[in-house]
Amino acid sequence: MTDGASEELVRYVVASTGLPEPVAARLVADIVGYFDETAEQFIRRRHRELQARQLRNAEIWQRLSRELAQRPVAAPTFSERQLRRIVYG
C-alpha cells in the first residue's frame, strides 16, 4: 500500500474501528484486491461459483447483471449474450 489514497483509507479504518494499523492495512489491501479484478474476471469467477451452487444459467445471468450494477466502479451493461460469450468464449 504505497499510494496516497490507500494510506488515507488505512488511517480512516484505524480511526473508525480502532484496529491496529497493520491489520487495517491488510484489510484495505484485501478489499482493494477484491475489487481489482476486471468485469470479465468477475463474470467468470462468479459464474463458476454460482454453477457450483447448482444454479441454472438463466438465474446466473440475471444475478450477474444485478451484481455488476452494484460494484463500486460500475461495469458496462452486458447483455445475456455478452455474458455467455465472456464465460464460454
Side-chain angles (χ1 to χ4, degrees):
M1 293 257 147
T2 57
D3 70 4
S6 297
E7 291 172 6
E8 181 180 345
L9 184 54
V10 169
R11 283 192 301 274
Y12 175 79
V13 170
V14 168
S16 68
T17 65
L19 289 172
E21 187 172 336
V23 175
R26 190 172 64 241
L27 175 67
V28 169
D30 285 349
I31 293 169
V32 169
Y34 176 81
F35 288 111
D36 196 33
E37 66 187 347
T38 66
E40 289 81 5
Q41 291 168 326
F42 173 79
I43 290 165
R44 288 185 191 103
R45 177 179 59 78
R46 283 298 288 152
H47 183 266
R48 283 190 309 272
E49 292 170 358
L50 295 170
Q51 266 193 329
R53 292 171 53 191
Q54 306 301 314
L55 292 172
R56 297 176 142 306
N57 275 339
E59 171 63 20
I60 291 173
W61 306 137
Q62 291 174 2
R63 212 163 177 174
L64 283 172
S65 292
R66 286 192 310 267
E67 289 178 8
L68 284 166
Q70 295 173 355
R71 305 262 308 163
V73 177
T77 303
F78 293 101
S79 68
E80 184 177 315
R81 181 171 186 247
Q82 289 171 311
L83 293 170
R84 282 195 307 266
R85 290 182 71 84
I86 290 169
V87 171
Y88 299 116

Coordinates of all heavy atoms in Angstrom, one line a residue:
M1 N 0.8 -1.2 0.0 CA 0.0 0.0 0.0 C 0.9 1.2 0.0 O 1.3 1.7 1.0 CB -0.8 0.0 1.3 CG -1.8 -1.0 1.4 SD -3.4 -0.2 1.1 CE -4.2 -1.6 0.4
T2 N 1.2 1.8 -1.1 CA 2.0 2.9 -1.2 C 1.3 4.1 -1.8 O 1.9 5.2 -1.7 CB 3.3 2.7 -1.9 OG1 3.0 2.2 -3.3 CG2 4.2 1.6 -1.3
D3 N 0.2 4.0 -2.4 CA -0.5 5.2 -2.9 C -1.2 6.0 -1.8 O -1.6 5.5 -0.8 CB -1.4 4.8 -4.1 CG -2.6 4.1 -3.7 OD1 -2.9 3.9 -2.5 OD2 -3.4 3.7 -4.6
G4 N -1.3 7.3 -2.0 CA -1.9 8.2 -1.0 C -3.3 7.8 -0.6 O -3.7 7.9 0.5
A5 N -4.1 7.4 -1.6 CA -5.5 7.1 -1.3 C -5.6 5.9 -0.4 O -6.4 5.9 0.6 CB -6.3 6.8 -2.6
S6 N -4.7 4.9 -0.6 CA -4.8 3.7 0.2 C -4.3 4.0 1.6 O -4.8 3.5 2.6 CB -3.9 2.6 -0.4 OG -4.4 2.2 -1.6
E7 N -3.2 4.9 1.8 CA -2.7 5.3 3.1 C -3.8 6.0 3.8 O -4.0 5.8 5.0 CB -1.5 6.1 2.9 CG -0.3 5.2 2.4 CD 0.9 6.1 2.1 OE1 0.9 7.3 2.3 OE2 1.9 5.5 1.6
E8 N -4.5 6.9 3.1 CA -5.6 7.7 3.8 C -6.7 6.8 4.2 O -7.2 6.9 5.3 CB -6.1 8.7 2.8 CG -7.2 9.6 3.4 CD -7.7 10.6 2.4 OE1 -7.1 10.9 1.3 OE2 -8.8 11.2 2.6
L9 N -7.0 5.8 3.4 CA -8.1 4.8 3.7 C -7.7 4.0 5.0 O -8.5 3.7 5.9 CB -8.4 3.9 2.6 CG -9.5 2.9 2.7 CD1 -10.8 3.6 3.2 CD2 -9.7 2.1 1.5
V10 N -6.4 3.6 5.0 CA -5.9 2.8 6.2 C -6.0 3.7 7.5 O -6.5 3.2 8.5 CB -4.4 2.4 6.0 CG1 -3.9 1.8 7.3 CG2 -4.4 1.3 4.9
R11 N -5.7 5.0 7.4 CA -5.8 5.9 8.5 C -7.3 6.0 8.9 O -7.6 6.0 10.1 CB -5.2 7.2 8.2 CG -3.7 7.3 8.3 CD -3.2 8.7 8.2 NE -3.6 9.5 7.1 CZ -2.9 9.4 5.9 NH1 -1.8 8.7 5.8 NH2 -3.3 10.2 4.9
Y12 N -8.1 6.1 8.0 CA -9.6 6.2 8.3 C -10.1 4.9 9.0 O -10.8 5.0 10.0 CB -10.4 6.4 7.0 CG -11.9 6.4 7.2 CD1 -12.5 7.5 7.8 CD2 -12.6 5.3 7.0 CE1 -13.9 7.5 8.0 CE2 -14.0 5.2 7.2 CZ -14.6 6.3 7.7 OH -15.9 6.3 8.0
V13 N -9.7 3.7 8.5 CA -10.1 2.5 9.1 C -9.6 2.4 10.5 O -10.3 1.9 11.4 CB -9.7 1.3 8.2 CG1 -9.9 -0.1 8.9 CG2 -10.4 1.3 6.9
V14 N -8.3 2.7 10.7 CA -7.7 2.7 12.1 C -8.6 3.6 13.0 O -8.9 3.2 14.1 CB -6.3 3.1 12.0 CG1 -5.7 3.4 13.4 CG2 -5.4 2.1 11.4
A15 N -8.9 4.8 12.5 CA -9.6 5.8 13.4 C -11.0 5.4 13.6 O -11.5 5.5 14.7 CB -9.6 7.2 12.7
S16 N -11.7 4.8 12.6 CA -13.1 4.5 12.8 C -13.3 3.1 13.5 O -14.4 2.9 14.0 CB -13.8 4.5 11.4 OG -13.3 3.4 10.6
T17 N -12.3 2.2 13.5 CA -12.6 0.9 14.0 C -11.7 0.6 15.2 O -12.0 -0.3 16.0 CB -12.3 -0.2 13.0 OG1 -10.9 -0.2 12.7 CG2 -13.1 -0.1 11.8
G18 N -10.6 1.3 15.4 CA -9.7 1.0 16.5 C -8.7 -0.1 16.2 O -8.0 -0.6 17.0
L19 N -8.8 -0.6 14.9 CA -7.9 -1.7 14.5 C -6.4 -1.2 14.5 O -6.2 -0.1 14.2 CB -8.2 -2.3 13.1 CG -9.5 -3.0 13.0 CD1 -9.8 -3.3 11.5 CD2 -9.4 -4.4 13.7
P20 N -5.5 -2.1 14.8 CA -4.1 -1.7 14.7 C -3.8 -1.5 13.2 O -4.4 -2.1 12.3 CB -3.3 -3.0 15.2 CG -4.3 -3.8 15.9 CD -5.7 -3.5 15.4
E21 N -2.8 -0.6 13.0 CA -2.5 -0.2 11.6 C -2.2 -1.3 10.7 O -2.7 -1.4 9.6 CB -1.4 0.9 11.6 CG -1.2 1.5 10.2 CD -0.3 2.6 10.2 OE1 -0.1 3.3 11.2 OE2 0.3 2.9 9.1
P22 N -1.4 -2.3 11.1 CA -1.1 -3.4 10.2 C -2.3 -4.2 9.8 O -2.4 -4.7 8.7 CB -0.1 -4.3 11.0 CG 0.5 -3.4 12.1 CD -0.6 -2.4 12.4
V23 N -3.2 -4.4 10.8 CA -4.4 -5.1 10.5 C -5.3 -4.3 9.5 O -5.9 -4.9 8.6 CB -5.2 -5.5 11.8 CG1 -6.5 -6.1 11.5 CG2 -4.4 -6.4 12.7
A24 N -5.4 -3.1 9.8 CA -6.2 -2.2 8.9 C -5.6 -2.2 7.5 O -6.4 -2.2 6.5 CB -6.3 -0.8 9.5
A25 N -4.3 -2.1 7.4 CA -3.6 -2.1 6.1 C -3.9 -3.4 5.3 O -4.2 -3.4 4.1 CB -2.1 -1.9 6.2
R26 N -3.9 -4.5 6.0 CA -4.2 -5.8 5.4 C -5.6 -5.9 5.0 O -5.9 -6.4 3.9 CB -3.8 -7.0 6.4 CG -3.9 -8.3 5.7 CD -3.4 -9.5 6.6 NE -4.2 -9.6 7.8 CZ -3.8 -9.5 9.0 NH1 -2.6 -9.2 9.3 NH2 -4.7 -9.7 10.0
L27 N -6.5 -5.4 5.8 CA -7.9 -5.4 5.4 C -8.2 -4.5 4.2 O -8.9 -5.0 3.2 CB -8.8 -4.8 6.6 CG -10.2 -4.6 6.4 CD1 -10.9 -5.9 6.2 CD2 -10.9 -3.8 7.5
V28 N -7.6 -3.3 4.1 CA -7.7 -2.5 3.0 C -7.2 -3.1 1.7 O -7.8 -3.1 0.7 CB -7.1 -1.1 3.2 CG1 -7.0 -0.3 1.9 CG2 -7.9 -0.3 4.3
A29 N -6.0 -3.8 1.9 CA -5.4 -4.4 0.7 C -6.2 -5.6 0.2 O -6.4 -5.7 -1.0 CB -4.0 -5.0 1.1
D30 N -6.9 -6.3 1.1 CA -7.7 -7.4 0.7 C -9.0 -6.9 -0.1 O -9.3 -7.4 -1.1 CB -8.2 -8.2 1.9 CG -7.2 -9.1 2.5 OD1 -6.1 -9.3 1.8 OD2 -7.4 -9.6 3.6
I31 N -9.5 -5.8 0.5 CA -10.7 -5.2 -0.2 C -10.4 -4.6 -1.5 O -11.1 -4.9 -2.5 CB -11.4 -4.2 0.7 CG1 -12.0 -4.9 1.9 CG2 -12.5 -3.4 0.0 CD1 -12.5 -4.0 3.0
V32 N -9.3 -3.9 -1.6 CA -8.9 -3.3 -2.9 C -8.6 -4.4 -3.9 O -8.9 -4.3 -5.0 CB -7.7 -2.3 -2.7 CG1 -7.0 -1.9 -4.0 CG2 -8.1 -1.1 -1.9
G33 N -7.9 -5.5 -3.4 CA -7.6 -6.6 -4.3 C -8.8 -7.3 -4.8 O -8.9 -7.7 -6.0
Y34 N -9.9 -7.4 -4.0 CA -11.1 -8.0 -4.4 C -11.8 -7.2 -5.5 O -12.3 -7.8 -6.5 CB -12.1 -8.1 -3.2 CG -13.4 -8.6 -3.6 CD1 -13.7 -10.0 -3.7 CD2 -14.5 -7.7 -3.8 CE1 -14.9 -10.4 -4.0 CE2 -15.8 -8.2 -4.1 CZ -16.0 -9.6 -4.2 OH -17.2 -10.0 -4.6
F35 N -11.7 -5.9 -5.5 CA -12.3 -5.1 -6.5 C -11.4 -4.7 -7.6 O -11.8 -4.0 -8.5 CB -12.9 -3.8 -5.8 CG -14.1 -4.0 -5.0 CD1 -14.1 -3.9 -3.6 CD2 -15.3 -4.4 -5.6 CE1 -15.2 -4.1 -2.9 CE2 -16.4 -4.7 -4.9 CZ -16.4 -4.5 -3.5
D36 N -10.2 -5.3 -7.6 CA -9.2 -5.0 -8.7 C -9.5 -5.9 -9.9 O -9.0 -5.6 -11.0 CB -7.8 -5.3 -8.1 CG -6.8 -4.7 -9.0 OD1 -7.0 -3.6 -9.6 OD2 -5.7 -5.3 -9.1
E37 N -10.3 -6.9 -9.8 CA -10.5 -7.8 -11.0 C -11.3 -7.1 -12.0 O -12.1 -6.2 -11.7 CB -11.1 -9.1 -10.6 CG -12.5 -9.0 -10.0 CD -13.0 -10.4 -9.5 OE1 -12.4 -11.4 -9.7 OE2 -14.0 -10.4 -8.8
T38 N -11.1 -7.4 -13.3 CA -11.8 -6.8 -14.4 C -13.2 -7.4 -14.4 O -13.5 -8.4 -13.7 CB -11.2 -7.2 -15.7 OG1 -11.3 -8.6 -16.0 CG2 -9.7 -6.7 -15.8
A39 N -14.1 -6.7 -15.1 CA -15.5 -7.2 -15.2 C -15.5 -8.6 -15.7 O -16.3 -9.5 -15.2 CB -16.3 -6.3 -16.1
E40 N -14.7 -8.9 -16.7 CA -14.7 -10.2 -17.3 C -14.2 -11.3 -16.3 O -14.7 -12.4 -16.2 CB -13.8 -10.2 -18.6 CG -14.3 -9.5 -19.8 CD -14.1 -8.0 -19.7 OE1 -13.5 -7.5 -18.8 OE2 -14.7 -7.3 -20.6
Q41 N -13.2 -10.9 -15.5 CA -12.7 -11.9 -14.5 C -13.8 -12.1 -13.4 O -14.0 -13.2 -13.0 CB -11.4 -11.3 -13.8 CG -10.2 -11.3 -14.7 CD -9.1 -10.5 -14.1 OE1 -9.3 -9.5 -13.4 NE2 -7.9 -10.9 -14.3
F42 N -14.5 -11.0 -13.1 CA -15.6 -11.2 -12.1 C -16.7 -12.1 -12.6 O -17.2 -13.0 -11.9 CB -16.1 -9.8 -11.8 CG -17.4 -9.8 -10.9 CD1 -17.3 -10.0 -9.6 CD2 -18.6 -9.7 -11.5 CE1 -18.4 -10.1 -8.8 CE2 -19.8 -9.7 -10.7 CZ -19.7 -9.9 -9.3
I43 N -17.0 -11.9 -13.9 CA -18.1 -12.7 -14.5 C -17.7 -14.1 -14.5 O -18.5 -15.0 -14.1 CB -18.4 -12.2 -15.9 CG1 -19.1 -10.8 -15.8 CG2 -19.3 -13.2 -16.7 CD1 -19.1 -10.0 -17.2
R44 N -16.5 -14.5 -14.9 CA -16.1 -15.9 -15.0 C -16.0 -16.5 -13.6 O -16.5 -17.6 -13.4 CB -14.7 -16.0 -15.7 CG -14.7 -15.7 -17.1 CD -13.4 -15.9 -17.8 NE -13.4 -15.4 -19.2 CZ -12.9 -14.3 -19.5 NH1 -12.2 -13.5 -18.7 NH2 -12.9 -13.9 -20.8
R45 N -15.5 -15.7 -12.6 CA -15.4 -16.3 -11.3 C -16.8 -16.5 -10.7 O -17.1 -17.6 -10.1 CB -14.6 -15.3 -10.4 CG -14.5 -15.7 -8.9 CD -13.8 -14.8 -8.0 NE -14.3 -13.4 -8.0 CZ -15.3 -13.0 -7.3 NH1 -16.0 -13.9 -6.5 NH2 -15.7 -11.8 -7.3
R46 N -17.7 -15.5 -10.8 CA -19.0 -15.6 -10.2 C -19.8 -16.7 -10.9 O -20.6 -17.4 -10.3 CB -19.7 -14.3 -10.2 CG -19.3 -13.3 -9.2 CD -19.5 -13.8 -7.8 NE -21.0 -13.8 -7.5 CZ -21.5 -14.6 -6.6 NH1 -20.9 -15.5 -5.9 NH2 -22.8 -14.6 -6.4
H47 N -19.6 -16.9 -12.2 CA -20.3 -17.9 -12.9 C -19.9 -19.3 -12.4 O -20.8 -20.1 -12.1 CB -20.0 -17.8 -14.4 CG -20.8 -18.8 -15.2 ND1 -20.3 -20.1 -15.6 CD2 -22.1 -18.8 -15.7 CE1 -21.2 -20.7 -16.3 NE2 -22.3 -20.0 -16.4
R48 N -18.6 -19.5 -12.2 CA -18.2 -20.8 -11.6 C -18.8 -21.0 -10.2 O -19.2 -22.1 -9.9 CB -16.6 -20.8 -11.5 CG -15.9 -21.1 -12.8 CD -14.5 -21.3 -12.6 NE -13.8 -20.3 -11.8 CZ -13.2 -19.2 -12.3 NH1 -13.3 -19.0 -13.6 NH2 -12.6 -18.3 -11.5
E49 N -18.7 -19.9 -9.4 CA -19.2 -20.1 -8.0 C -20.7 -20.4 -8.0 O -21.2 -21.2 -7.2 CB -19.0 -18.8 -7.2 CG -17.5 -18.5 -7.0 CD -17.3 -17.1 -6.4 OE1 -18.2 -16.3 -6.3 OE2 -16.1 -16.8 -6.1
L50 N -21.5 -19.7 -8.9 CA -22.9 -19.9 -8.9 C -23.3 -21.3 -9.5 O -24.2 -21.9 -9.0 CB -23.6 -18.8 -9.6 CG -23.5 -17.4 -8.9 CD1 -24.0 -16.3 -9.8 CD2 -24.2 -17.4 -7.6
Q51 N -22.5 -21.7 -10.5 CA -22.8 -23.0 -11.0 C -22.5 -24.1 -10.0 O -23.2 -25.1 -9.9 CB -21.9 -23.3 -12.3 CG -22.5 -23.0 -13.6 CD -21.7 -23.5 -14.7 OE1 -20.5 -23.6 -14.7 NE2 -22.4 -23.8 -15.8
A52 N -21.5 -23.9 -9.2 CA -21.1 -24.9 -8.1 C -22.2 -25.0 -7.1 O -22.4 -26.0 -6.4 CB -19.8 -24.5 -7.5
R53 N -23.0 -23.9 -7.0 CA -24.2 -23.9 -6.1 C -25.5 -24.4 -6.8 O -26.6 -24.3 -6.3 CB -24.4 -22.5 -5.5 CG -23.3 -22.1 -4.6 CD -23.3 -20.6 -4.2 NE -24.6 -20.2 -3.7 CZ -24.9 -19.0 -3.4 NH1 -24.1 -18.0 -3.7 NH2 -26.1 -18.7 -2.9
Q54 N -25.3 -25.0 -7.9 CA -26.4 -25.7 -8.7 C -27.4 -24.7 -9.3 O -28.5 -25.1 -9.5 CB -27.1 -26.8 -7.8 CG -26.2 -27.8 -7.2 CD -25.4 -28.6 -8.2 OE1 -25.9 -29.0 -9.2 NE2 -24.1 -28.7 -8.0
L55 N -27.0 -23.5 -9.5 CA -27.9 -22.5 -10.1 C -27.9 -22.7 -11.6 O -26.9 -23.1 -12.2 CB -27.6 -21.1 -9.8 CG -27.7 -20.7 -8.3 CD1 -27.2 -19.3 -8.1 CD2 -29.2 -20.7 -8.0
R56 N -29.0 -22.5 -12.2 CA -29.1 -22.6 -13.7 C -28.7 -21.3 -14.3 O -28.7 -20.3 -13.7 CB -30.5 -22.9 -14.1 CG -31.0 -24.3 -13.6 CD -32.5 -24.4 -13.9 NE -33.0 -25.7 -14.3 CZ -32.5 -26.6 -15.2 NH1 -31.5 -26.3 -15.9 NH2 -33.1 -27.7 -15.5
N57 N -28.2 -21.4 -15.6 CA -27.7 -20.3 -16.3 C -28.7 -19.1 -16.3 O -28.3 -18.0 -16.2 CB -27.2 -20.6 -17.7 CG -25.7 -21.1 -17.6 OD1 -25.0 -20.9 -16.7 ND2 -25.4 -21.9 -18.7
A58 N -29.9 -19.4 -16.5 CA -30.9 -18.3 -16.6 C -30.9 -17.4 -15.4 O -30.9 -16.2 -15.5 CB -32.3 -18.9 -16.9
E59 N -30.8 -18.1 -14.2 CA -30.7 -17.3 -13.0 C -29.4 -16.7 -12.8 O -29.2 -15.5 -12.3 CB -31.0 -18.2 -11.8 CG -30.7 -17.6 -10.4 CD -31.6 -16.4 -10.1 OE1 -32.7 -16.3 -10.7 OE2 -31.2 -15.6 -9.2
I60 N -28.3 -17.4 -13.2 CA -27.0 -16.8 -13.1 C -26.8 -15.5 -13.9 O -26.3 -14.6 -13.4 CB -25.9 -17.9 -13.6 CG1 -25.9 -19.0 -12.6 CG2 -24.5 -17.2 -13.7 CD1 -25.0 -20.2 -13.0
W61 N -27.3 -15.5 -15.2 CA -27.2 -14.3 -16.0 C -27.9 -13.1 -15.3 O -27.4 -12.0 -15.3 CB -27.8 -14.5 -17.4 CG -27.2 -15.7 -18.1 CD1 -27.9 -16.6 -18.9 CD2 -25.8 -16.1 -18.2 NE1 -27.1 -17.5 -19.4 CE2 -25.8 -17.2 -19.0 CE3 -24.6 -15.6 -17.7 CZ2 -24.6 -17.9 -19.3 CZ3 -23.4 -16.3 -18.0 CH2 -23.4 -17.4 -18.8
Q62 N -29.1 -13.3 -14.8 CA -29.8 -12.3 -14.1 C -29.1 -11.8 -12.9 O -28.9 -10.6 -12.6 CB -31.2 -12.7 -13.7 CG -32.2 -13.0 -14.8 CD -33.5 -13.6 -14.3 OE1 -33.7 -13.8 -13.2 NE2 -34.3 -13.9 -15.3
R63 N -28.5 -12.7 -12.1 CA -27.8 -12.4 -10.9 C -26.5 -11.6 -11.2 O -26.2 -10.6 -10.6 CB -27.5 -13.7 -10.2 CG -27.4 -13.5 -8.7 CD -27.5 -14.9 -8.1 NE -27.4 -14.8 -6.7 CZ -27.5 -15.7 -5.9 NH1 -27.8 -16.9 -6.3 NH2 -27.4 -15.5 -4.6
L64 N -25.8 -12.1 -12.3 CA -24.6 -11.4 -12.7 C -24.9 -9.9 -13.1 O -24.1 -9.0 -12.7 CB -23.9 -12.1 -13.8 CG -23.1 -13.4 -13.4 CD1 -22.7 -14.1 -14.7 CD2 -21.9 -13.0 -12.6
S65 N -25.9 -9.7 -13.8 CA -26.3 -8.4 -14.2 C -26.6 -7.5 -13.0 O -26.1 -6.3 -12.9 CB -27.5 -8.4 -15.1 OG -27.2 -9.0 -16.3
R66 N -27.3 -8.0 -12.0 CA -27.6 -7.2 -10.8 C -26.3 -6.9 -10.0 O -26.0 -5.8 -9.6 CB -28.5 -8.0 -9.9 CG -30.0 -8.0 -10.4 CD -30.9 -8.5 -9.3 NE -30.6 -9.7 -8.7 CZ -31.0 -10.9 -9.1 NH1 -31.8 -11.0 -10.1 NH2 -30.6 -12.0 -8.5
E67 N -25.4 -8.0 -9.9 CA -24.2 -7.8 -9.1 C -23.2 -6.8 -9.8 O -22.6 -6.0 -9.1 CB -23.5 -9.1 -8.9 CG -24.2 -10.0 -7.9 CD -23.6 -11.4 -7.8 OE1 -22.5 -11.6 -8.3 OE2 -24.2 -12.3 -7.1
L68 N -23.1 -6.9 -11.1 CA -22.3 -5.9 -11.8 C -22.7 -4.5 -11.6 O -21.9 -3.6 -11.5 CB -22.2 -6.3 -13.3 CG -21.4 -7.5 -13.7 CD1 -21.7 -7.9 -15.1 CD2 -19.9 -7.2 -13.5
A69 N -24.0 -4.3 -11.6 CA -24.5 -2.9 -11.4 C -24.2 -2.4 -10.0 O -24.2 -1.2 -9.8 CB -26.0 -2.9 -11.7
Q70 N -24.0 -3.2 -9.1 CA -23.7 -2.8 -7.7 C -22.3 -2.7 -7.4 O -21.9 -2.3 -6.2 CB -24.4 -3.8 -6.7 CG -25.9 -3.8 -6.8 CD -26.5 -4.9 -6.0 OE1 -25.8 -5.7 -5.4 NE2 -27.8 -5.0 -6.0
R71 N -21.4 -3.0 -8.3 CA -19.9 -2.9 -8.0 C -19.6 -1.4 -7.8 O -20.2 -0.5 -8.4 CB -19.1 -3.5 -9.2 CG -19.5 -4.9 -9.5 CD -18.6 -6.0 -9.0 NE -17.2 -5.9 -9.2 CZ -16.4 -6.6 -8.5 NH1 -16.8 -7.4 -7.6 NH2 -15.1 -6.5 -8.7
P72 N -18.6 -1.1 -6.9 CA -18.2 0.3 -6.7 C -17.9 1.1 -7.9 O -18.2 2.2 -8.0 CB -17.0 0.2 -5.8 CG -17.1 -1.2 -5.1 CD -17.8 -2.0 -6.1
V73 N -17.2 0.5 -8.8 CA -16.9 1.1 -10.1 C -17.8 0.3 -11.1 O -17.5 -0.8 -11.4 CB -15.4 1.0 -10.5 CG1 -15.2 1.6 -11.9 CG2 -14.6 1.7 -9.5
A74 N -18.8 0.9 -11.6 CA -19.8 0.2 -12.4 C -19.2 -0.3 -13.6 O -18.4 0.4 -14.3 CB -21.0 1.2 -12.7
A75 N -19.5 -1.6 -13.9 CA -19.1 -2.2 -15.1 C -20.1 -1.8 -16.2 O -21.2 -1.4 -15.9 CB -19.1 -3.7 -15.0
P76 N -19.7 -2.0 -17.5 CA -20.6 -1.7 -18.5 C -21.8 -2.7 -18.4 O -21.7 -3.7 -17.8 CB -19.8 -2.0 -19.8 CG -18.5 -2.5 -19.4 CD -18.4 -2.4 -18.0
T77 N -22.9 -2.3 -19.0 CA -24.1 -3.2 -19.0 C -23.8 -4.3 -20.1 O -23.6 -3.9 -21.2 CB -25.4 -2.4 -19.3 OG1 -25.5 -1.4 -18.3 CG2 -26.6 -3.3 -19.3
F78 N -23.9 -5.5 -19.7 CA -23.7 -6.6 -20.6 C -25.0 -7.3 -20.9 O -25.8 -7.5 -20.0 CB -22.7 -7.7 -20.0 CG -21.3 -7.2 -19.8 CD1 -20.9 -6.8 -18.6 CD2 -20.5 -7.2 -20.9 CE1 -19.5 -6.4 -18.4 CE2 -19.1 -6.8 -20.8 CZ -18.7 -6.4 -19.5
S79 N -25.3 -7.7 -22.1 CA -26.5 -8.4 -22.5 C -26.2 -9.9 -22.0 O -25.1 -10.3 -21.8 CB -26.7 -8.4 -24.0 OG -25.7 -9.1 -24.7
E80 N -27.3 -10.7 -22.0 CA -27.1 -12.1 -21.6 C -26.1 -12.8 -22.6 O -25.3 -13.6 -22.3 CB -28.4 -12.8 -21.6 CG -28.4 -14.3 -21.2 CD -29.7 -14.9 -21.1 OE1 -30.7 -14.3 -20.6 OE2 -29.8 -16.1 -21.6
R81 N -26.3 -12.4 -23.9 CA -25.4 -13.0 -24.9 C -23.9 -12.6 -24.7 O -23.0 -13.5 -24.8 CB -25.8 -12.5 -26.3 CG -25.0 -13.0 -27.4 CD -25.6 -12.7 -28.8 NE -24.8 -13.3 -29.8 CZ -24.1 -12.7 -30.7 NH1 -24.0 -11.4 -30.7 NH2 -23.5 -13.4 -31.6
Q82 N -23.7 -11.4 -24.3 CA -22.3 -11.0 -24.0 C -21.7 -11.7 -22.8 O -20.6 -12.1 -22.8 CB -22.2 -9.5 -23.8 CG -22.4 -8.6 -25.0 CD -22.6 -7.2 -24.7 OE1 -23.4 -6.8 -23.8 NE2 -21.8 -6.3 -25.4
L83 N -22.6 -11.9 -21.8 CA -22.2 -12.7 -20.6 C -21.8 -14.1 -21.0 O -20.7 -14.6 -20.5 CB -23.3 -12.7 -19.5 CG -23.6 -11.3 -18.9 CD1 -24.8 -11.5 -18.0 CD2 -22.4 -10.8 -18.1
R84 N -22.6 -14.7 -21.8 CA -22.3 -16.1 -22.3 C -21.0 -16.1 -23.0 O -20.2 -17.1 -22.8 CB -23.5 -16.6 -23.1 CG -24.7 -17.1 -22.4 CD -25.6 -17.9 -23.3 NE -25.9 -17.3 -24.5 CZ -27.0 -16.6 -24.7 NH1 -27.9 -16.4 -23.7 NH2 -27.3 -16.0 -25.9
R85 N -20.8 -15.2 -23.9 CA -19.5 -15.2 -24.7 C -18.3 -15.0 -23.8 O -17.3 -15.5 -24.0 CB -19.6 -14.1 -25.7 CG -20.6 -14.4 -26.8 CD -20.6 -13.3 -27.9 NE -19.4 -13.3 -28.7 CZ -19.2 -14.1 -29.8 NH1 -20.1 -15.0 -30.1 NH2 -18.1 -14.0 -30.5
I86 N -18.4 -14.2 -22.7 CA -17.3 -14.0 -21.8 C -17.0 -15.3 -21.1 O -15.8 -15.7 -21.0 CB -17.6 -12.9 -20.8 CG1 -17.6 -11.5 -21.5 CG2 -16.6 -12.9 -19.6 CD1 -18.2 -10.4 -20.6
V87 N -18.0 -16.0 -20.7 CA -17.8 -17.3 -19.9 C -17.4 -18.4 -20.9 O -16.4 -19.1 -20.6 CB -19.1 -17.7 -19.2 CG1 -19.0 -19.1 -18.6 CG2 -19.4 -16.7 -18.1
Y88 N -18.0 -18.6 -22.0 CA -17.8 -19.7 -22.8 C -16.9 -19.4 -24.1 O -16.6 -20.3 -24.8 CB -19.1 -20.3 -23.3 CG -20.0 -20.8 -22.2 CD1 -21.2 -20.3 -21.9 CD2 -19.5 -21.9 -21.3 CE1 -21.9 -20.7 -20.8 CE2 -20.3 -22.3 -20.3 CZ -21.5 -21.7 -20.0 OH -22.2 -22.2 -19.0
G89 N -16.6 -18.2 -24.3 CA -15.7 -17.8 -25.4 C -16.4 -17.6 -26.7 O -17.5 -17.8 -27.0

